[in-house]
């Protein structure tokens, strides 16, 4: 779903810094599918995201909501970045 013409799943109680951290992960995941992005950028964005969303259940809920609106899987991108030694990650489909 290139173009990102949808609303990101966000929590209205988050601070501006938290909103930026979560939104950054969403954008990095989009990049991984659309154009490819650096492995280190994905891992950094995910680490920042985890500082905001420490609950595994809430992480899964946000990931599901993001996948529903974007078609992109956060888990798959992060898993690939954690296991693939390549410097650039480009997801297929």
């Amino acid at each position: 779903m290139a173009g990102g013409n949808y609303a990101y799943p966000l929590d209205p109680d988050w601070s501006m810094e938290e909103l930026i951290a979560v939104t950054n992960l969403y954008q990095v995941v989009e990049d991984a599918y659309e154009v490819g992005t650096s492995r280190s950028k994905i891992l950094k964005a995910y680490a920042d995201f985890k500082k905001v969303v420490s609950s595994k259940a809430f992480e899964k809920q946000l990931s599901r909501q993001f996948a529903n609106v974007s078609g992109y899987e956060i888990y798959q991108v992060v898993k690939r970045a954690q296991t693939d030694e390549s410097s650039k990650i480009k997801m297929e489909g």
Side-chain angles (χ1 to χ4, degrees):
M1 211 180 269
N5 197 8
Y6 45 83
Y8 290 142
L10 301 170
D11 186 326
D13 294 331
W14 286 333
S15 70
M16 184 58 68
E17 184 177 293
E18 291 170 328
L19 288 168
I20 291 168
V22 172
T23 302
N24 187 44
L25 177 67
Y26 295 153
Q27 291 171 339
V28 166
V29 169
E30 290 172 347
D31 287 347
Y33 278 95
E34 295 172 7
V35 295
T37 191
S38 77
R39 178 177 174 264
S40 61
K41 191 173 183 180
I42 294 167
L43 296 175
K44 167 84 169 86
Y46 184 65
D48 292 345
F49 171 85
K50 289 302 289 176
K51 291 176 189 169
V52 177
V53 182
S54 57
S55 158
K56 202 66 163 163
F58 191 37
E59 177 182 351
K60 286 181 181 180
Q61 178 186 343
L62 289 173
S63 294
R64 246 189 328 273
Q65 290 172 353
F66 181 70
N68 286 339
V69 297
S70 70
Y72 301 142
E73 298 284 339
I74 293 172
Y75 175 78
Q76 295 301 327
V77 172
V78 172
K79 180 179 175 187
R80 178 130 171 236
Q82 290 172 335
T83 59
D84 194 329
E85 294 298 317
S86 302
S87 61
K88 186 171 183 179
I89 302 295
K90 172 73 171 88
M91 302 299 290
E92 299 300 321

